[in-house]
Structure formats: C-alpha cells, structure tokens
C-alpha cells in the first residue's frame, strides 16, 4: 500500500484516510480528506479505514502501517476542519454494520459506535460488510448500498449558505438494474459496449470454467449464505476442510470461513463453481503443531471481535461460555464426533500434522498460532482440489456441545 497518486498510473481520483500512518514515523499515508465547494458552501469528505485491516488482508502486507482508532482520527480531522470554517462534513468509512429492519431500525456495531462517537456528523457513507444500511444514528444519516454493484446510494443534502452546515440528509437505495416487465424475469439488456467485454471474457474462459468435475447430491451451504450453525459449522466448510486434509495427507485441518466465497448447489459441479468457492489463489499447506498449539488456536477464536469459528477436519471439541460470555475450550479429540478414544492433550507431548491454506499459515485473521508451526510444506492451489461431492458428509462433521445462546457462538 502506497500513496495512490504515486503507485497507480492513470488513477483519476484521490485516496483519503485519516487513520492510516507509517508506524516508524507516524506520518499519514494518505491525505485525511478533501474539501469541495457546493454552491458556495465548503463540504469536506473525510476518509477512515477499519482498524481490522491487518487481520483481513494478507499477512505482512500492512506491517509497516498503524491503523489508528477510527473515531479518534475522524474527530481530530473534523475539529481541524471546523477550526478552518468548514462545517459540512461527509464521512467515507470503510466499516459496516447490520440494520435490524427497514425503512427504520437500529444498526449494529461497528459503524453505529463510530458514528455516535463523533459529535455533529450528519452523513456517513459506509461500506464493508455487504449489508444494506439507510438509517439515522443519533441524527446522522448512515447509508450503505447493496454489495457487488447491485445498487447505489442517491443522497440528498440541504445546505445552509449562512451557517455552512448540513441541515438535512436523506438517501434512496437505487437498484443498478431493473426487470421489465417484472413478471417476465428477463433483465433489461446492458450497455452494448460493456456487454461485449463481458461476453468476450466469458467465452474465453468457458472451456475451463464450464468443465464438469463432479456432481453434488445436495446443496452445500456456507456461512456467507447463512448456512452455518450457531457454532460456525457449515456443510461446505466441512467438505473443504476434509479435502485439504486429504490433499495434504495430514491428521487435522483448519479453514477460515471467510475464504469460502460462494456455495454449491445440488447437481453438476463445474471448475468455475469450484473457483467461485475459493477464488483467492491461496495454496494448501501442511505444518506441524503440538497439542498445546491446537488448544491455543481454538482459544484464539475468542479474542477478536469477528467470532467466525474455524472450520475443522479430523477433530472435534467442546466448549462452554464463561460468565463474561467468552468461549472456553473444555476438551479436544482427534477423530470423528463421538469418538473420544484419542484426546488431544493441552501440552507439547504430541505433535500433529495440520493442513491449512497459505493465508492462515502466515497468521491471517490474527491466528498467530499457525506462524509457530514447524516443517511447513506447500501443496496445490486450494481451488484445484477435486473432493468427491457425492460422498456422505455426516461422518465428517464435527459437533460442539450445544451450549450456545441465541446470541451465537462465543468460541
């Protein structure tokens, strides 16, 4: 990551973020914002980036950067702008939340927390977690359209020329396409020049992506499609973890659910379907961990705000919630659920071979335990594995003790 105007040839827009600094010097990497004039009123656009960026990007990519607390950095920049006479501020925030209901409803953290922590904000343009938002949070409009270009936000501002402030702000979420007539199910044709580009790209890769590699007897759901249990377990996650373990010939396997980007439907499965599930290009790796490492790894699931539990293969474990709501691992066993003949002890007396993807092997998602692994070796790109989608999954699924409250898993 470098300054956009120095790194990206042909870039015709600025990059702004008030909370990213060089660790060694404390100097900002990007300008904190920019100010434009709208009918005689200066309007400032301030940027901020989620502090969880180091955990969500490839390990090592941001080692030279520090991501400051968003609310503090935004508040300092807003105060500086107001000292200069700029009263109208729009926040561009790479962070999100989830709205409970529409058209009104409350919004979950973290966007709601950041918004509420900066006095006087009137507009926040959010974007991060693929949920649609359009509420008011303490008098501030918070808007985030649908993901993947499916919609955009049409925002209306009323500015006071005397006070230079934003008086009111409202937004409409506008779909990027429509169906005409609605009952036909046929989308309106896209722009001819863009459609030619898309058609050419699809045709070029069709011999590869269209090749059928196997058949799925059932839909294989994942967490992104609400297909995971309260403990974070999903049929597709189980299958991929099993495939990694089989591919690398290890005793155990772990998989980050964030790496599963699509689901598989019953019927023929093509190479393109597999690529859509794991498009990131991570390689499958094998390494060695001790029993203590395995316990520490499972415990690390509880230390971060994103409590997306790892998919596992070759083991099962139980945990409980303590008084603070934190998940505490109670037991770990090698083998299929119900098999307690081979406990994994929480010490260094035994070593286990473990399959993971290269993202996790480098400590991705803050799972630093993997960086302590020994005898690392690299295997194939994850999406090129060929698991048997017709195999029964029930004997491969792990189970947790059913002590999860309605709020979801704590570990």
């Amino acid at each position: 990551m470098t300054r956009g105007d120095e790194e990206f040839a042909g870039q015709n827009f600025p990059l702004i973020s008030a909370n990213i600094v060089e660790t060694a010097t404390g100097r900002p990497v990007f300008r904190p914002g920019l100010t434009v004039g709208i009918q005689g009123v200066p309007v400032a656009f301030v940027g901020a980036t989620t502090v969880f960026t180091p955990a969500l990007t490839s390990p090592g990519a941001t080692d030279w950067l520090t991501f400051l607390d968003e609310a503090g950095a935004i508040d300092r920049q807003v105060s500086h702008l107001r000292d200069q006479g700029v009263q109208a501020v729009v926040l561009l925030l790479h962070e999100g939340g989830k709205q409970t209901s529409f058209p009104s409803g409350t919004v979950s953290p973290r966007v709601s927390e950041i918004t509420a922590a900066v006095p006087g904000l009137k507009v926040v343009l959010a974007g991060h977690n693929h949920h649609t938002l359009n509420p008011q949070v303490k008098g501030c409009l918070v808007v985030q359209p649908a993901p993947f270009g499916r919609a955009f936000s049409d925002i209306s501002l009323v500015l006071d020329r005397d006070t230079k402030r934003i008086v009111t702000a409202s937004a409409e979420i506008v779909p990027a396409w429509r169906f005409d007539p609605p009952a036909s199910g046929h989308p309106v044709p896209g722009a001819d020049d863009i459609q030619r580009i898309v058609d050419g790209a699809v045709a070029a890769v069709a011999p590869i992506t269209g090749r059928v590699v196997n058949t799925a007897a059932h839909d294989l759901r994942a967490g992104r499609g609400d297909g995971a249990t309260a403990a974070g377990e999903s049929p597709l996650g189980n299958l991929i973890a099993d495939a990694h373990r089989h591919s690398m010939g290890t005793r155990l396997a772990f998989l980050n659910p964030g790496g599963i980007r699509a689901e598989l439907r019953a019927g023929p499965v093509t190479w393109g379907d597999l690529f859509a599930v794991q498009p990131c290009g991570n390689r499958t790796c094998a390494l060695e961990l001790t029993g203590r490492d395995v316990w520490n790894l499972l415990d690390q699931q509880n230390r971060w705000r994103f409590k997306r539990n790892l998919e596992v293969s070759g083991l099962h474990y139980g945990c409980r919630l303590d008084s603070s709501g934190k998940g505490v691992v109670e037991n770990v066993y090698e083998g299929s659920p119900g098999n307690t003949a081979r406990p994994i002890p929480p010490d260094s007396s035994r070593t286990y071979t473990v399959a993971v993807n290269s993202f996790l092997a480098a400590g991705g998602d803050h799972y630093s335990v993997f960086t302590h692994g020994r005898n690392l070796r690299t295997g194939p790109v994850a999406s090129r594995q060929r698991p048997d989608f017709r195999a029964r999954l029930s004997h491969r699924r792990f189970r947790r003790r059913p002590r999860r409250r309605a709020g979801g898993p704590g570990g």
Side-chain angles (χ1 to χ4, degrees):
M1 182 184 296
T2 60
R3 293 181 184 271
D5 55 357
E6 297 175 358
E7 177 70 9
F8 302 109
Q11 179 178 310
N12 60 358
F13 56 89
L15 299 178
I16 59 175
S17 187
N19 69 319
I20 306 176
V21 299
E22 295 178 351
T23 301
T25 65
R27 292 182 300 191
V29 176
F30 305 108
R31 70 178 82 175
L34 59 90
T35 301
V36 299
I38 300 178
Q39 298 185 15
V41 178
V43 179
F45 294 84
V46 176
T49 309
T50 175
V51 294
F52 290 103
T53 300
L56 301 173
T57 54
S58 297
T62 61
D63 285 352
W64 60 290
L65 300 174
T66 295
F67 290 76
L68 305 175
D69 173 72
E70 304 99 333
I74 296 163
D75 191 45
R76 288 189 293 273
Q77 181 61 18
V78 170
S79 297
H80 174 69
L81 288 165
R82 287 173 178 159
D83 288 343
Q84 295 180 323
V86 180
Q87 303 298 325
V89 177
V90 175
L91 174 61
L92 309 181
L93 177 63
H94 193 127
E95 186 54 276
K98 189 173 183 179
Q99 188 167 336
T100 56
S101 60
F102 288 88
S104 61
T106 59
V107 179
S108 65
R110 298 186 59 246
V111 66
S112 58
E113 294 176 338
I114 297 170
T115 301
V118 183
L121 277 181
K122 288 296 184 181
V123 183
V124 174
L125 306 186
H128 179 51
N129 64 345
H130 298 180
H131 290 291
T132 297
L133 305 175
N134 194 11
Q136 294 280 332
V137 176
K138 291 194 172 181
C140 176
L141 171 68
V142 177
V143 61
Q144 176 175 287
F148 311 121
R150 294 172 182 163
F152 62 91
S153 305
D154 186 1
I155 300 173
S156 298
L157 300 181
V158 175
L159 302 172
D160 189 318
R161 288 192 176 92
D162 295 327
T163 64
K164 309 299 184 185
R165 296 180 182 276
I166 297 174
V167 180
T168 62
S170 61
E172 179 185 2
I173 306 298
V174 181
W177 66 84
R178 63 187 176 90
F179 290 90
D180 186 19
S184 72
H186 298 297
V188 174
D192 290 341
D193 54 344
I194 302 300
Q195 194 63 50
R196 283 194 295 271
I197 296 173
V198 173
D199 291 344
V202 171
V205 299
I208 298 174
T209 59
R211 180 160 52 90
V212 176
V213 298
N214 218 311
T215 301
H218 307 281
D219 288 347
L220 297 176
R221 303 291 307 283
R224 284 180 181 267
D226 295 326
T229 67
E233 178 183 11
S234 72
L236 185 55
N238 287 339
L239 183 57
I240 296 172
D242 288 344
H244 287 186
R245 181 165 63 95
H246 176 77
S247 173
M248 299 306 293
T250 60
R251 296 169 67 175
L252 313 177
F254 297 94
L255 173 70
N256 57 309
I260 305 174
R261 300 305 179 95
E263 298 181 328
L264 293 174
R265 299 303 178 190
V269 176
T270 66
W271 191 97
D273 295 329
L274 296 184
F275 185 84
V277 170
Q278 294 187 286
C280 299
N282 292 315
R283 304 192 76 89
T284 313
C285 300
L287 47 82
E288 295 177 358
L289 297 177
T290 66
R292 167 53 62 189
D293 292 331
V294 172
W295 279 69
N296 288 342
L297 174 65
L298 297 175
D299 183 62
Q300 277 192 332
Q301 296 178 130
N302 312 303
R303 298 182 184 180
W304 311 105
R305 189 167 195 135
F306 299 125
K307 296 177 180 178
R308 297 183 299 181
N309 297 333
L310 292 167
E311 307 281 3
V312 306
S313 177
L315 75 152
H316 60 100
Y317 63 100
C319 60
R320 60 177 174 82
L321 294 176
D322 65 13
S323 59
S324 68
K326 178 180 180 294
V328 179
V329 178
E330 291 186 312
N331 50 67
V332 186
Y333 298 98
E334 186 178 3
S336 57
N339 182 350
T340 59
R342 292 179 291 170
I344 296 178
D347 56 39
S348 301
S349 62
R350 300 179 188 176
T351 299
Y352 300 86
T353 54
V354 177
V356 294
N357 60 36
S358 51
F359 174 77
L360 283 179
D365 278 352
H366 275 315
Y367 287 111
S368 60
V369 168
F370 288 120
T371 65
H372 305 154
R374 293 158 294 280
N375 297 325
L376 175 69
R377 58 186 174 88
T378 302
V381 174
S383 60
R384 295 178 183 174
Q385 294 172 338
R386 297 292 183 265
D388 184 353
F389 293 101
R390 290 169 293 189
R392 293 181 58 191
L393 299 178
S394 59
H395 73 286
R396 291 176 174 167
R397 296 176 182 171
F398 75 96
R399 299 185 185 275
R400 293 185 168 206
R401 293 184 176 182
R403 295 185 181 180
R404 289 291 167 258
R405 302 297 182 184

